[in-house]
Amino acid sequence: MPRCIVVDAVHPDPAAIAAAARILRAGGLVAFPTETVYGLGANALDADAVGRIFVAKGRPADDPLIVHVLDAAGAGDRTLAAAWPPIAARLTDAFWPGPLTVVVPRGPAIPPIVTACLPMVALRAPAHPVARALLAAAGVPIAAPSANPFGRTSPTTAAHVIAGLGDRVDLVLDGGPCAIGVESTVVDCTTDPIRVLRPGGIPLEAIRAIAPDAIAAEAIVPEAIVPDAALPAADAAASPSPGTQPRHYAPRARLVLVTGNDGDIVATIRAAAVRLAAAGKRVGLLVAAGDEVPVDAERIVAVCLAPLDNPSLAAHRLFAALHALDAQDVDVILARDWPARDLGLALQDRLRRAAQGGTVLADGTAAPVMARS
Ligand code: TXA
Ligand code: MG
């Protein structure tokens, strides 16, 4: 088990922050809370330290990291960002500190390993007081992906970090659960119009209030057609087939996303849950308040994410719910789809990426599933 220090989320103990900053400056890894998810941090200016992040997560070297800074003055420092496009200035004025990441031309101080050799760097100023205190004490920008093994569910508590990464991290700062619970919105500011590369904690509607022509990156790519028989058969494997890359945000159990007409979604989930339970499977259900689903102490566990008209609350609870279902050793998770409003777009994105069991349209026909990214 790694060393873990509990800190107050608003007024973290300076001694704990100083200890964490010392580890970062010495090239070590510190997991820390942000308002989105926990990050696995290293000194962004130290290529060896950043290399340890890739090893600890089992992350492929072609997947670039976000660099955390205190503010736009720090980010706009030409050694980090070689240029600071006017739209980046307007977006960061509006949303920093907060769950927004801007992609801008990479400055000379950022080692290529951070950006997977791309000529752009992703920068974010987090709002969480613990993350900010750590940045201030370390005195260096902090490269930090979400603190989970590559492809698995992102952590929203220190316990999730420890369960996933264990001793691969030198210190965990436990600042309690993350307020937003879904990662930052990533916006590429090097193109005109700008592109939202990943939906996240700042809704697309809010980005478009600043940049009306912002393009939402293609969210769903028809990669494969999943027959409706893809609703897990009784003997379905509990995990994706070996040799295939795990999809992002995936829990250990196979997750099937059920989309389509609302009434049909619930009926489809109900029928599949009963069938799977009868075949001896443990089934987890990710549903909305008011959804009528069977629950059975032995075989079927339902988690209510939120009322259907509050997708932001559902997004906030998603990762914790996936971790909780994993802890209950379910074989299959049947998840309902949600409206795209507010953080619903980020929620839809994470559910599609987690759905290594496919996406099923509740009228019995198949829906395209998301391509890997
Ligand atoms: O909320 C968050 O963003 C969290 C917390 C810890 O800040 N971090 C996070 O990092 O989610 P990670 O590594 O799990 O996701 C980083 C995302 C990926 O989608 C990656 O492709 C994109 O940012 N990204 C990073 N650098 C990029 C670059 N130079 N160009 C384009 N996309 C980039
Ligand atoms: Mg991640």
Side-chain angles (χ1 to χ4, degrees):
M1 218 187 283
R3 198 174 152 211
C4 177
I5 308 181
V6 176
V7 291
D8 188 273
V10 181
H11 299 292
D13 172 19
I17 297 294
R22 268 195 306 277
I23 291 172
L24 286 178
R25 279 197 304 266
L29 300 184
V30 174
F32 61 96
T34 79
E35 68 279 22
T36 58
V37 300
Y38 273 71
L40 179 63
N43 176 356
L45 307 180
D46 177 342
D48 292 339
V50 171
R52 284 181 200 114
I53 292 180
F54 286 89
V55 173
K57 279 188 63 111
R59 181 174 175 122
D62 62 1
D63 196 350
L65 304 179
I66 294 174
V67 175
H68 296 71
V69 293
L70 267 178
D71 51 32
D77 165 355
R78 291 290 174 265
T79 66
L80 301 186
W84 194 241
I87 189 62
R90 284 167 57 210
L91 288 170
T92 56
D93 275 355
F95 301 118
W96 275 12
L100 171 76
T101 295
V102 291
V103 173
V104 295
R106 171 164 64 96
I110 304 281
I113 185 174
V114 172
T115 67
C117 294
L118 291 171
M120 289 103 71
V121 61
L123 296 170
R124 167 161 121 79
H128 197 295
V130 174
R132 298 188 65 74
L134 185 58
L135 280 162
V140 291
I142 300 176
S146 50
N148 51 283
F150 178 70
R152 313 302 321 195
T153 307
S154 300
T156 57
T157 66
H160 297 157
V161 176
I162 293 165
L165 293 177
D167 282 333
R168 284 172 277 171
V169 43
D170 298 307
L171 174 66
V172 179
L173 291 175
D174 180 352
C178 302
I180 296 176
V182 67
E183 296 89 342
S184 61
T185 301
V186 180
V187 180
D188 184 351
C189 295
T190 67
T191 59
D192 186 13
I194 60 169
R195 284 168 58 85
V196 175
L197 301 178
R198 177 178 72 180
I202 301 286
L204 181 61
E205 299 90 318
I207 301 287
R208 287 201 171 135
I210 307 275
D213 56 354
I215 296 174
E218 185 84 341
I220 298 169
V221 183
E223 176 197 55
I225 298 298
V226 179
D228 78 326
L231 264 182
D235 58 353
S239 55
S241 49
T244 62
Q245 257 208 350
R247 286 168 191 266
H248 271 88
Y249 311 109
R252 272 199 305 274
R254 180 180 173 200
L255 185 144
V256 178
L257 174 64
V258 182
T259 188
N261 291 330
D262 228 73
D264 293 342
I265 288 180
V266 180
T268 301
I269 289 180
R270 202 159 43 224
V274 168
R275 183 159 52 81
L276 288 160
K281 296 287 171 193
R282 279 182 62 75
V283 187
L285 307 178
L286 280 183
V287 292
D291 285 350
E292 260 189 72
V293 291
V295 172
D296 135 8
E298 291 289 301
R299 298 271 168 215
I300 307 178
V301 194
V303 178
C304 171
L305 287 180
L308 198 56
D309 64 1
N310 194 346
S312 297
L313 182 60
H316 163 67
R317 292 177 172 160
L318 174 69
F319 290 146
L322 292 176
H323 282 289
L325 288 174
D326 265 349
Q328 299 198 49
D329 269 333
V330 301
D331 302 302
V332 179
I333 298 171
L334 303 173
R336 67 129 57 244
D337 209 357
W338 290 77
R341 204 179 50 251
D342 298 328
L343 298 201
L345 192 63
L347 175 61
Q348 287 188 345
D349 173 75
R350 305 308 187 268
L351 282 171
R352 277 159 180 71
R353 289 173 195 271
Q356 76 276 29
T359 301
V360 171
L361 199 59
D363 69 357
T365 57
V369 295
M370 182 162 231
R372 261 176 228 121
S373 76

